[in-house]
Structures are given as structure tokens and as C-alpha cells.
Amino acid sequence: MGFIDYEVEGAVGIITINRPKALNALNADVLTELEQTFDAVDLKTVRCLILTGAGDKSFVAGADIGAMSTMSKEEGKAFGKKGNDIFLKIEKFPIPVIAAINGFALGGGCEISMSCDIRICSDTAMFGQPEVGLGITPGFGGTQRLARLVGAGMAKQLIYTARNIKADEAFRIGLVNAVYPLEELMPAAKKMAATIAGNAPFAVRACKKAINEGLQVSIDEGAAIEEDLFGACFETYGQREGMANFLRKKDDPKKVKKVAFLDE
Ligand code: DAK
């Protein structure tokens, strides 16, 4: 281990990709450690994750170009699979993952942020898919997730031109939800994560599953997925206590504070 830091603050886990000398570029070791870190998250107590990069210059400057430059077709395919497996793991991870993008998010860096549930960034952030300039396609889901997030026309323009965009443009096209001065980024990410972690954990996880799975299917099938997950919330501590709390509040608004939802 050595390229990934993991710390827990309350119910929020913070995963930091820590390879600042290479602007946190992703090589096979970084990807392996990242996967091991996600596998080790204690889902009984951690309710939301933040993914960020070490240093104040880069989130992730992409896949490691030096490591890739001499790969054979087979090695390239294996590397692509390794990346795709971990990016899919992040996307399907049971609890929400917020990408706190503190600088360059290029190639695989932009792609890993897109596998997270929510993206917020510093005003110094820079996004792009420069792959066609390197003779490859975006290989960690960029052709798929960028089009889903910002629409096919904008995704095609960014990918075909390999042009980098700054934080304000990323915000304008809907790639990120909010932009902060660099020093305010992590406090904002922690505040958002703590707010999410303060809600009923079973319900939050069910929402993530419903949104993600619903996006892959027709609206009819999506409605069926939603019904199942909605039903699954009943009889949980969160549903019982959340609704009871609302009813108590109606009796006497001063009597009851926000529910402290138990882990479930
Ligand atoms: N890989 C390896 N090292 C990198 C790197 C990268 N992507 N980006 C930066 N570095 C290293 C630099 O080599 C330099 O190392 P030293 O020379 O100090 O040893 C150090 O980080 C600092 O970088 P610079 O000196 O270049 O710093 P600047 O501020 O001048 O420039 C920059 C920052 C981010 C604009 C520049 O470093 C840059 O353009 N970096 C490359 C960005 C990029 O093109 N990223 C996309 C990589 S392609 C696949 C799946 C996925 C992918 C591929 C295949 N399969 C399915 C097979 C993904 C591909 C990509 O992500």
C-alpha cells in the first residue's frame, strides 16, 4: 500500500489518491489499491464516501501514460479491464460517492469522477478526454458516461476535439454540480457528505440503486425497480422512525429534533 489514503470522519469515509509526483495518474498499482480500499470500507458504519486527489494541483491526470506507452494489445486490454472493474465498482458501490475534484481531471481522471454519484470541483479544476490525441479512445467508460451526463452532442465535441475545459464550463454543461474556491472544496464535500450520512441509510442506498438501475432500462421497468425498492424501505428503522418523528413534530414542533438514524 502507499498510493491510497483512507480516513473516516464520523460516518464519512475520505479516499485520497496519493501519487502527487505523477499528478495522481492511475497505474495498475494505484488501481489495485483503490479497489482494495473500496473493498475494505465498513458499510455498517460509513454512509457516504468522498474521493479526491492529493495535493492542490490534480485530482487525477489520467491513466499513466508512461506505463501504457509500451503495453501490448493484451496488456492494454487487461489494464482497461482492471480500470473498468474498479470504476464499475464505484458506480455500483452501495453508498454514495462524491468526487471532490481538486485540479486536473483528464482522461481516466475525468472518467473516474464520472463513475462517482456527485461531482463538485475547485475553481482550478480542468476536465477533458485527451485520448484521441494519444491514439486511443477513452477506455474507462468515457464514451459511455460523458454522453449520459452532458448529452451526446457535447460529449462528442469534447472527445473528438480532445479539448480541455475549465471548471466554469464543466459547471455550465452539467458535468459538475458546483464549483468552489480550492480551499473551500473539501469543507463543502464534507458538509454534503455529512448531510447525506444524516439521512436514513437504507433509503439513501435504495435511491442510488433505483436511479442507477433505472437509467439502464425503460421507464416501465424503472418504475418497477422503484416500486420494489420503495417497498423494501418499509419496516426499516429509518422508515418507522422518520415517519414517527414527523408525526411527533406535528404534535409539538419544539419537542422533537432531527432523527438520529441508526445504522441499518
Ligand atoms: N501519466 C503519467 N505521468 C503523468 C501524467 C499521466 N497521465 N500526467 C502527468 N504526469 C507526470 C508528468 O510526467 C510529470 O512527471 P515528471 O516529469 O515530473 O517525472 C509530472 O506528472 C508533472 O506533470 P507536468 O510536468 O506535465 O505538469 P504540468 O503542470 O506542466 O502539466 C498536465 C500538467 C496535466 C497538463 C500534463 O501533465 C498533462 O497533459 N498530462 C497528461 C494528461 C493526459 O493526457 N491524461 C490522459 C491520459 S490518457 C484504457 C483505459 C483508459 C485509458 C486508456 C486505456 N484501456 C481500456 C486500455 C485512459 C487513458 C488516459 O487517461
Side-chain angles (χ1 to χ4, degrees):
M1 299 295 264
F3 291 130
I4 306 292
D5 297 334
Y6 180 57
E7 53 186 321
V8 176
E9 292 183 12
V12 176
I14 302 162
I15 297 177
T16 305
I17 299 174
N18 189 355
R19 196 188 170 210
K21 282 189 183 147
L23 302 184
N24 304 321
L26 304 171
N27 61 18
D29 290 340
V30 175
L31 290 173
T32 300
E33 285 185 27
L34 191 58
E35 179 157 32
Q36 289 168 349
T37 305
F38 271 88
D39 287 343
V41 171
D42 180 4
L43 289 169
K44 290 198 187 75
T45 55
V46 175
R47 298 181 182 182
C48 188
L49 289 174
I50 297 170
L51 179 67
T52 193
D56 55 9
K57 190 171 170 183
S58 183
F59 172 67
V60 171
D64 190 309
I65 299 172
M68 283 192 299
S69 61
T70 54
M71 281 180 190
S72 64
K73 279 191 168 50
E74 285 69 31
E75 288 167 335
K77 195 171 166 191
F79 182 63
K81 177 163 169 35
K82 200 175 181 62
N84 271 329
D85 286 352
I86 167 73
F87 287 23
L88 282 167
K89 178 168 286 196
I90 295 172
E91 188 168 77
K92 294 179 184 169
F93 206 65
I95 56 175
V97 184
I98 300 169
I101 301 154
N102 54 314
F104 295 114
L106 303 176
C110 187
E111 290 168 304
I112 198 169
S113 81
M114 292 191 290
S115 69
C116 297
D117 295 274
I118 295 166
R119 282 154 298 288
I120 59 175
C121 74
S122 63
D123 52 10
T124 57
M126 175 94 76
F127 298 81
Q129 297 289 162
E131 284 86 349
V132 294
L134 296 165
I136 54 176
T137 63
F140 290 152
T143 58
Q144 303 306 304
R145 293 195 181 93
L146 189 59
R148 283 169 168 80
L149 278 169
V150 304
M154 187 57 79
K156 285 176 175 174
Q157 184 179 328
L158 289 172
I159 290 172
Y160 299 167
T161 62
R163 187 172 68 87
N164 292 342
I165 58 170
K166 292 184 179 164
D168 56 345
E169 191 171 352
F171 176 67
R172 188 176 58 75
I173 65 174
L175 182 55
V176 297
N177 291 7
V179 182
Y180 299 92
L182 181 60
E183 64 280 9
E184 291 173 24
L185 177 65
M186 279 311 285
K190 288 180 184 178
K191 191 173 170 199
M192 186 189 292
T195 303
I196 292 170
N199 286 321
F202 185 93
V204 170
R205 289 197 299 266
C207 289
K208 172 165 178 169
K209 200 167 156 61
I211 294 168
N212 281 359
E213 292 184 7
L215 283 171
Q216 310 300 326
V217 298
S218 72
I219 187 73
D220 294 308
E221 292 167 295
I225 290 169
E226 188 181 70
E227 279 162 27
D228 282 347
L229 288 162
F230 176 72
C233 290
F234 285 79
E235 299 178 49
T236 63
Y237 175 85
Q239 180 265 329
R240 288 288 192 255
E241 192 49 31
M243 291 189 182
N245 186 57
F246 176 81
L247 296 172
R248 281 195 296 269
K249 264 198 284 201
K250 270 175 71 167
D251 278 354
D252 178 357
K254 285 189 213 120
K255 203 166 67 185
V256 184
K257 300 186 190 86
K258 190 171 175 2
V259 182
F261 286 107
L262 299 180
D263 294 316
E264 55 188 355

